[in-house]
């Protein structure tokens, strides 16, 4: 009786593995969802849609971007962690995947163990902006003004877990001030509030901010990278203007729910690599100031190492800054 059960279980296992393999061999046979944890039209969304359009051509099925908003990206991350690992749900997230464990006391997912790793994609600088009629005209004036008026200044961000929040928090710490944080569900709506003059300051990625800076629609005080950036070489870094060691470079990675079949992950990795070489993607990313990650870093293992390294890097910094949510 027992041996009959073992045989039945073994036969079921073989049949299941064969069907998973068959499913993977034909993949994809229907549209693929790429979940974005922030609002449409913002920095993460624009990277997802640029890659998704190219991957759609490679894979022969539409890559549909789905924006799942809330809690600085953690609602989408939790949803993807629980999603069916059938190869039709993928997730793009940035540095926030590494900062969430330090920012939230209770998190309904583990970034290192609840996901499969597909690939890194791009790195993006951030820029420090204010509404057009904000009084300071350069960074030294900005620092002095913010220190003198902190109690009445609003800083827009995309919630605890967003890089706009991380950048703002580091800025507060560097200047030794506390301003009022105004969270949005992405920096696309935060930018609208800045352009409308409803908020004072926003720290956001070049993938969204360059047209506003170049069009003179906002006040611009500097970039957050350690060195000046190719797309706007005339722009000073915040570090060179006195914020020694101030550095935020936003990196983006692509993930899948844990248990997604390996052959599908491999095909998805190949599609991401193809997209990152697609001349249209290369041009668009360059225009937005996004640097494509070198080939050697486009393996799942490299993404896993990057995530672990960044969790270890940001944890102590966030703890020292004292920003937590339950
Ligand atoms: C977005 O896509 O809206 C931004 O990446 C949010 C953020 O600041 O992290």
């Amino acid at each position: 009786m027992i041996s009959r059960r073992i045989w039945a279980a073994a036969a079921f296992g073989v049949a299941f593995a064969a069907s998973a393999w068959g499913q993977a061999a034909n993949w994809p046979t229907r549209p693929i969802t790429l979940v974005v944890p922030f609002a449409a039209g913002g920095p993460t969304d624009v990277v997802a849609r640029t890659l998704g359009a190219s991957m759609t051509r490679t894979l022969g099925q539409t890559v549909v971007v789905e924006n799942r908003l809330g809690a600085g990206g953690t609602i989408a991350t939790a949803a993807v962690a629980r999603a069916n690992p059938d190869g039709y749900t993928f997730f793009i997230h940035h540095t926030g995947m590494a900062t969430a464990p330090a920012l939230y006391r209770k998190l309904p997912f583990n970034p290192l163990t609840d996901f499969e790793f597909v690939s890194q994609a791009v790195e993006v600088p951030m820029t420090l902006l204010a509404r057009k009629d904000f009084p300071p005209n350069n960074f030294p004036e900005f620092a002095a003004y913010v220190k003198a008026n902190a109690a009445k200044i609003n800083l827009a961000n995309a919630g605890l877990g967003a890089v706009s929040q991380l950048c703002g928090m580091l800025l507060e710490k560097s200047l030794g001030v506390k301003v009022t944080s105004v969270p949005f569900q992405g920096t696309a709506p935060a930018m609208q509030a800045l352009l409308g003059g409803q908020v004072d300051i926003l720290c956001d990625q070049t993938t969204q901010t360059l047209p506003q800076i170049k069009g003179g629609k906002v006040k611009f005080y500097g970039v957050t990278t350690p060195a000046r950036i190719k797309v706007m070489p005339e722009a000073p870094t915040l570090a060179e203007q006195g914020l020694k060691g101030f550095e935020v470079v936003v990196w983006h990675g692509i993930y899948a729910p844990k248990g997604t079949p390996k052959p599908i992950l491999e095909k998805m990795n190949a599609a991401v690599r193809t997209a990152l070489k697609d001349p249209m993607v290369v041009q668009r990313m360059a225009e937005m100031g996004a640097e494509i990650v070198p080939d050697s870093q486009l393996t799942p293992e490299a993404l896993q190492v990057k995530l672990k390294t960044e969790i270890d890097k940001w944890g102590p910094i966030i703890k020292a800054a004292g920003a937590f949510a339950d």
Side-chain angles (χ1 to χ4, degrees):
M1 181 65 176
I2 290 180
S3 73
R4 216 181 300 155
R5 275 203 197 131
I6 291 171
W7 273 110
F12 175 77
V14 170
F16 181 78
S19 95
W21 174 255
Q23 207 185 355
N26 297 330
W27 181 90
T29 56
R30 58 185 168 86
I32 296 160
T33 299
L34 180 58
V35 176
V36 167
F38 298 105
T44 319
D45 183 76
V46 82
V47 169
R49 285 177 201 272
T50 305
L51 293 176
S54 176
M55 287 159 68
T56 294
R57 288 192 289 278
T58 305
L59 295 168
Q61 288 289 343
T62 309
V63 174
V64 181
V65 170
E66 184 183 310
N67 303 85
R68 295 201 66 162
L69 314 180
T74 56
I75 288 187
T77 317
V80 174
R82 290 190 303 268
N84 187 354
D86 60 359
Y88 291 91
T89 300
F90 287 86
F91 183 44
I92 183 163
H93 200 355
H94 56 37
T95 312
M97 192 79 163
T99 56
L103 287 167
Y104 287 82
R105 284 197 180 89
K106 285 187 234 122
L107 212 51
F109 57 85
N110 181 327
L112 283 168
T113 56
D114 289 350
F115 298 89
E116 302 290 351
F117 300 91
V118 177
S119 178
Q120 294 184 70
V122 290
E123 290 191 348
V124 185
M126 298 194 83
T127 51
L128 177 60
L129 313 176
R131 61 181 156 78
K132 198 174 172 187
D133 53 357
F134 199 58
N137 288 315
N138 52 48
F139 184 71
E141 283 180 25
F142 173 93
Y145 185 86
V146 171
K147 282 180 189 170
N149 298 281
K152 56 179 193 189
I153 290 175
N154 290 322
L155 179 141
N157 61 43
L160 210 58
V163 285
S164 44
Q165 184 276 331
L166 178 72
C167 181
M169 180 186 81
L170 296 176
L171 184 70
E172 286 183 313
K173 188 151 170 52
S174 305
L175 297 179
V177 296
K178 194 87 198 125
V179 297
T180 304
S181 189
V182 184
F184 292 81
Q185 292 195 320
T187 53
M191 176 61 86
Q192 289 313 308
L194 191 76
L195 294 173
Q198 288 101 37
V199 292
D200 300 315
I201 308 172
L202 172 65
C203 195
D204 194 18
Q205 296 164 72
T206 55
T207 33
Q208 164 159 270
T209 63
L210 288 178
Q212 318 298 352
I213 295 170
K214 292 188 169 170
K217 304 266 171 45
V218 290
K219 285 259 171 89
F220 166 60
Y221 301 109
V223 295
T224 65
T225 39
R228 292 188 177 207
I229 58 175
K230 270 191 231 146
V231 74
M232 203 168 39
E234 68 285 6
T237 67
L238 293 178
E240 80 184 68
Q241 297 182 89
L243 280 194
K244 291 271 167 285
F246 192 96
E247 180 183 332
V248 190
V249 180
V250 184
W251 56 277
H252 294 71
I254 297 172
Y255 307 83
K258 190 82 187 168
T260 303
K262 192 143 189 280
I264 292 180
L265 297 171
E266 283 166 0
K267 286 186 187 175
M268 192 66 173
N269 177 280
V272 174
R273 285 170 181 264
T274 304
L276 292 172
K277 288 203 163 46
D278 179 337
M280 274 154 69
V281 172
V282 172
Q283 184 188 341
R284 183 84 185 102
M285 293 299 182
E287 285 165 1
M288 298 191 296
E291 290 273 346
I292 292 174
V293 170
D295 251 19
S296 62
Q297 294 302 301
L298 298 180
T299 62
E301 295 75 25
L303 173 58
Q304 191 171 9
V305 169
K306 176 80 177 176
L307 179 61
K308 172 83 176 69
T309 309
E310 289 273 301
I311 289 173
D312 294 346
K313 167 184 160 179
W314 288 112
I317 297 173
I318 290 168
K319 286 204 172 83
F324 300 106
D326 287 327

